[in-house]
């Protein structure tokens, strides 16, 4: 690996990590010696890259540091292309447009010698099977999740029972033929899952549920993966 590429990879690892990253962890991922890591960190510091920490405790890249955009490896480009293909086949109309726009932007901004990885990727996502149509506005659902606002649902479950709920939307899960809305249900006082094709009606309320989105998501994740 070229030194410039190695320095960039160190920054990538630090940028994606919330906790301090030790020299040994960097060395293991990059398959280099810890001595080389220490030398590279010193070089980055000499270039005034805002890295905090020291040998033995780990390193952190300070927030606000701007890295050159779209300095991507061929693998990273193909991952982005594959993900965009998947969304273009399975997302709602707004996400399908965004996926196509993303591919176009990546193709327009990566260096010429990498462009074929975008336009002719070695991987592909097949078209979705017959997908149940959404019965609510998924763009509005995503907006409610971001804003922390409530949704009033009229819903029919798998036993054809109808109910009315006020929910706090958390996330949307994408499956092969259906989409699922994960939400805190005020009626059940617990997290519940609603198939978007079984929604009979939805009103997007302006009322906020009052819990930070990150805290609500953390509570939900504990129900999905207990102990984490």
């Amino acid at each position: 690996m070229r030194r410039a590429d190695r320095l960039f990879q160190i920054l990538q690892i630090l940028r994606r990590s919330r906790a301090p990253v030790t020299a040994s962890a960097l060395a293991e991922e990059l398959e280099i010696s810890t001595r080389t890591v220490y030398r590279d960190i010193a070089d980055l510091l000499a270039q005034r890259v805002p890295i905090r920490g020291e040998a033995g405790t780990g390193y952190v890249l300070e927030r606000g540091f701007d890295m050159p955009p779209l300095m991507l490896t061929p693998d990273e480009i193909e991952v982005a292309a594959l993900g965009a293909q998947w969304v273009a086949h399975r997302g709602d109309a707004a996400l399908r447009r965004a996926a196509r726009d993303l591919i176009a932007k990546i193709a327009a901004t990566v260096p010429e010698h990498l462009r074929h990885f975008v336009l002719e990727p070695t991987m592909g996502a097949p078209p979705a099977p017959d997908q149940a149509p959404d019965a609510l506005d998924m763009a509005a659902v995503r907006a409610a999740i971001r804003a922390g606002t409530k949704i009033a649902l009229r819903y029919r479950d798998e036993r054809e029972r109808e109910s009315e709920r006020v929910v706090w939307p958390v996330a949307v899960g994408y499956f092969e033929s259906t989409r699922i809305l994960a939400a805190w249900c005020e009626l059940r006082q617990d997290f519940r899952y609603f198939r978007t094709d079984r929604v009979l009606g939805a009103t997007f309320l302006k009322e906020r549920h009052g819990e930070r989105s990150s805290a609500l998501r953390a509570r939900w994740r504990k129900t999905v993966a207990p102990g984490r």
Side-chain angles (χ1 to χ4, degrees):
M1 183 185 297
R2 295 183 306 164
R3 175 178 171 277
D5 293 337
R6 194 173 64 241
L7 295 179
F8 178 72
Q9 285 300 111
I10 289 175
L11 293 177
Q12 287 284 72
I13 295 168
L14 295 179
R15 184 167 65 169
R16 73 173 185 240
S17 303
R18 297 183 178 181
V21 183
T22 64
S24 60
L26 288 168
E28 181 179 358
E29 180 162 346
L30 297 175
E31 298 182 348
I32 58 178
S33 68
T34 54
R35 182 177 180 179
T36 300
V37 170
Y38 295 143
R39 186 171 62 245
D40 288 346
I41 292 292
D43 288 344
L44 289 168
L45 290 171
Q47 296 174 36
R48 299 191 177 184
V49 176
I51 296 174
R52 291 186 291 105
E54 58 185 23
T57 60
Y59 301 98
V60 175
L61 183 64
E62 292 185 358
R63 291 184 178 180
F65 175 68
D66 291 327
M67 295 176 64
L70 294 177
M71 289 181 60
L72 304 177
T73 67
D75 282 346
E76 290 168 341
I77 291 172
E78 292 202 312
V79 165
L82 178 63
Q85 286 180 38
W86 194 95
V87 174
H89 290 315
R90 292 166 174 79
D92 57 75
L95 286 185
R96 290 197 298 271
R97 286 193 300 271
R100 291 191 293 267
D101 289 346
L102 173 62
I103 290 298
K105 287 179 180 178
I106 294 175
T109 51
V110 297
E112 181 67 33
H113 71 280
L114 294 176
R115 195 158 297 155
H116 69 280
F117 289 105
V118 185
L119 303 178
E120 300 176 9
T122 61
M123 303 176 291
D130 293 338
Q131 195 166 48
D134 296 310
L136 73 168
D137 185 337
M138 298 307 296
V141 170
R142 293 194 300 275
I145 292 173
R146 296 178 190 130
T149 51
K150 301 180 181 183
I151 304 174
L153 293 180
R154 191 157 58 88
Y155 188 73
R156 178 185 294 130
D157 66 17
E158 68 279 2
R159 298 182 182 178
E160 300 297 319
R161 298 175 301 188
E162 295 185 14
S163 62
E164 295 187 0
R165 323 279 188 101
V166 173
V167 302
W168 307 359
V170 179
V172 177
Y174 286 74
F175 297 87
E176 282 300 305
S177 59
T178 60
R179 282 185 274 268
I180 302 291
L181 172 63
W184 174 264
C185 176
E186 291 187 353
L187 177 65
R188 301 302 184 194
Q189 287 294 292
D190 201 356
F191 291 102
R192 289 290 186 268
Y193 297 89
F194 304 92
R195 274 182 47 168
T196 60
D197 59 308
R198 290 178 177 161
V199 173
L200 301 176
T203 302
F204 294 88
L205 307 176
K206 294 182 178 180
E207 181 184 358
R208 295 177 59 87
H209 53 65
E211 187 167 350
R212 287 187 300 110
S213 295
S214 58
L216 181 64
R217 194 168 293 112
R219 286 206 293 128
W220 166 67
R221 283 176 177 152
K222 287 182 179 179
T223 68
V224 176
R228 291 187 61 184

